[in-house]
Amino acid sequence: TLPLLFLNLGGEMLYILDQRLRAQSIPGEKARKDEWTDVDRKRVMNDIITTMFNKKFMEELFKPQELYSKKALRTVYDRLAHASIMRLNQASMDKLYDLMTMAFKYQVLLCPRPKDILLVTFNHLDAIKDFVRDSPGILNQVDETFRQLIETYSCLSAGEFQLIRQTLLVFFQDMHIRVSIFLKDKVQNSNGRFVLPISGPVPWGTEVPGLIRLFNRNGDEVKRTEFTTGGNYVTPQREGSFDLYGDRVLKLGTNMYSVSRPVETHISGSSKNLASHAKENIAPNPLAKEELNFLARLLGGLEIKKPGGSETGFRLNLFTTDEEEEHAALTRPEELSYKVINIEATQEPGRRAELSRILGELEVAEPRPGSSGKGEDLLALMDGL
């Protein structure tokens, strides 16, 4: 499940960043030194996509492994979003991640059949290829991941795709963040839950409901009964292409920001939602060791580019104004905020002490004999990486 989750969320992140960078960019000849231009936008997109599809990074991602927590994945996207000259503050990064997760949750819920999650992934990768169509080297990186996806998932059964879909839905089940685009299109209720359609094309390979057929013991049809359905169903014209190039037919996973729409999100304030986030923060994590190991390997390929010389990092605001962004940062409940742990195993005493302090906050399921069971054990783990 992990490669599909990462690539689809990453695709949604790139859609949002591209839309916001276009909205805030100024023509090159009119732009001041601290303002975005279209050249900056292309550079940011190329840098992030290059990092996202790094060969070593993809090799780690496709290794068989358990799906990790929301916090572990959030840390990876924090690093990924800052893989160029762009900088996001905490409120904008929170908003970006909210939009990413709710968009992909909606796509998973609406997939006609579990295998179509692969078509959603291909839609994201097709769009990413369009972002870097003028950069053959980066395009080749994306194509390599495309081939890896086809090789890994084309042989899976319908039952295995159903397990992947269930795993994704469990990952998203307590997330009910209201998004303006979904609210305006009436596909999301005011409580943040999605509205599932009861009409439209049925899954490929199935029949339109409304007919019951009875067979005898020899397999001969002996009776037909029709019944009225609650929706208007149609048979799909053709199946989407699972090849490197082709018509995916399914529109889920395409760029919904390609038309001119504001990128807004409203946080649902239900106590149940807040309680679930708080519980995740407070409860000891029995996979602390494995998650740190996973993060250390993955983050090794995600280098943050520090502006050099006189170059300054450009700040991107996902809100309409700076005041809105500041207000969101102040009003964001503490239990919904995320902290980024930069893992850097080093022998320098000062850095070891800082790392020990940070890691000491994490609970470890099985401490070594004679260890405290917290930072000491995790620090030993980091030294071995």
Side-chain angles (χ1 to χ4, degrees):
T1 304
L2 184 62
L4 297 180
L5 179 62
F6 173 79
L7 291 170
N8 284 289
L9 286 178
E12 288 300 320
M13 181 178 81
L14 290 166
Y15 291 165
I16 298 162
L17 292 179
D18 179 69
Q19 195 271 353
R20 293 307 295 161
L21 288 168
R22 287 179 187 274
Q24 295 185 24
S25 64
I26 307 292
E29 66 278 1
K30 296 180 182 178
R32 299 194 309 266
K33 193 175 181 180
D34 61 340
E35 291 180 322
W36 287 103
T37 66
D38 201 53
V39 173
D40 294 321
R41 178 188 62 81
K42 288 180 180 177
R43 177 182 170 184
V44 167
M45 298 297 285
N46 284 358
D47 286 345
I48 293 176
I49 294 169
T50 299
T51 306
M52 183 175 170
F53 291 91
N54 175 278
K55 186 178 179 183
K56 185 179 175 183
F57 182 69
M58 282 294 130
E59 285 172 0
E60 289 293 341
L61 192 71
F62 274 85
K63 286 179 181 176
Q65 56 196 297
E66 292 290 323
L67 191 64
Y68 288 87
S69 70
K70 297 177 182 70
K71 282 189 175 182
L73 283 173
R74 165 63 193 263
T75 303
V76 175
Y77 289 110
D78 255 316
R79 288 289 294 270
L80 189 59
H82 293 95
S84 186
I85 56 173
M86 181 185 68
R87 294 293 172 264
L88 295 168
N89 74 13
Q90 186 70 45
S92 282
M93 189 66 217
D94 284 344
K95 183 172 180 179
L96 174 63
Y97 192 69
D98 288 343
L99 288 167
M100 290 158 51
T101 50
M102 293 309 288
F104 185 44
K105 177 181 179 177
Y106 177 65
Q107 292 154 17
V108 174
L109 282 170
L110 260 66
C111 270
R113 55 179 182 164
K115 188 180 180 181
D116 289 335
I117 290 171
L118 200 52
L119 290 177
V120 173
T121 312
F122 288 174
N123 274 335
H124 280 115
L125 263 63
D126 286 340
I128 291 171
K129 284 169 66 174
D130 195 48
F131 286 141
V132 293
R133 61 182 178 274
D134 298 328
S135 306
I138 310 174
L139 197 59
N140 188 54
Q141 282 180 257
V142 183
D143 276 340
E144 193 55 44
T145 300
F146 231 125
R147 294 184 188 96
Q148 206 167 354
L149 278 169
I150 293 169
E151 183 183 336
T152 304
Y153 294 96
S154 60
C155 58
L156 296 189
S157 65
E160 287 170 312
F161 274 112
Q162 173 65 2
L163 284 175
I164 289 172
R165 183 175 184 271
Q166 287 175 341
T167 306
L168 288 168
L169 290 176
V170 167
F171 181 85
F172 290 124
Q173 68 179 349
D174 293 324
M175 303 179 74
H176 307 296
I177 300 154
R178 296 181 298 156
V179 178
S180 62
I181 288 178
F182 295 140
L183 291 168
K184 286 172 186 173
D185 291 345
K186 304 279 193 269
V187 298
Q188 191 180 32
N189 289 325
S190 58
N191 62 2
R193 296 181 183 273
F194 288 110
V195 179
L196 302 183
I198 55 168
S199 298
V202 297
W204 175 259
T206 63
E207 296 178 16
V208 173
L211 178 67
I212 299 172
R213 290 178 291 181
L214 301 177
F215 298 84
N216 63 20
R217 68 180 62 189
N218 298 321
D220 301 320
E221 186 179 323
V222 294
K223 185 180 177 183
R224 287 191 171 202
T225 306
E226 293 187 359
F227 64 93
T228 304
T229 62
N232 299 314
Y233 301 99
V234 294
T235 306
Q237 297 298 311
R238 61 190 184 284
E239 184 180 25
S241 171
F242 288 90
D243 297 324
L244 187 60
Y245 304 99
D247 182 5
R248 313 299 173 195
V249 179
L250 195 70
K251 298 304 177 188
L252 295 171
T254 54
N255 190 351
M256 64 178 173
Y257 307 104
S258 55
V259 293
S260 180
R261 300 171 106 163
V263 180
E264 296 173 15
T265 180
H266 307 287
I267 306 303
S268 176
S270 70
S271 57
K272 183 180 177 182
N273 191 30
L274 299 183
S276 68
H277 279 278
K279 186 178 178 183
E280 184 191 355
N281 270 268
I282 295 164
N285 182 2
L287 291 176
K289 277 189 180 183
E290 289 82 352
E291 287 201 350
L292 281 171
N293 199 7
F294 160 76
L295 285 172
R297 290 200 314 272
L298 282 186
L299 297 183
L302 291 177
E303 293 300 325
I304 293 181
K305 292 200 173 183
K306 291 187 175 130
S310 60
E311 189 181 53
T312 56
F314 285 89
R315 186 174 73 85
L316 181 67
N317 184 0
L318 262 73
F319 294 82
T320 310
T321 64
D322 288 347
E323 288 73 21
E324 278 187 35
E325 186 180 49
E326 289 167 10
H327 178 71
L330 291 171
T331 56
R332 181 87 168 169
E334 191 175 342
E335 61 267 28
L336 297 185
S337 296
Y338 300 85
K339 290 181 181 178
V340 180
I341 298 175
N342 290 315
I343 298 171
E344 184 178 358
T346 174
Q347 296 302 318
E348 187 182 332
R351 290 189 180 266
R352 279 181 62 89
E354 177 64 10
L355 180 63
S356 181
R357 183 190 66 76
I358 294 171
L359 298 182
E361 297 172 2
L362 294 172
E363 296 286 346
V364 183
E366 297 177 359
R368 287 178 310 168
S371 78
S372 66
K374 282 194 175 182
E376 180 188 337
D377 211 39
L378 291 168
L379 194 59
L381 173 69
M382 290 293 101
D383 285 340
L385 291 174

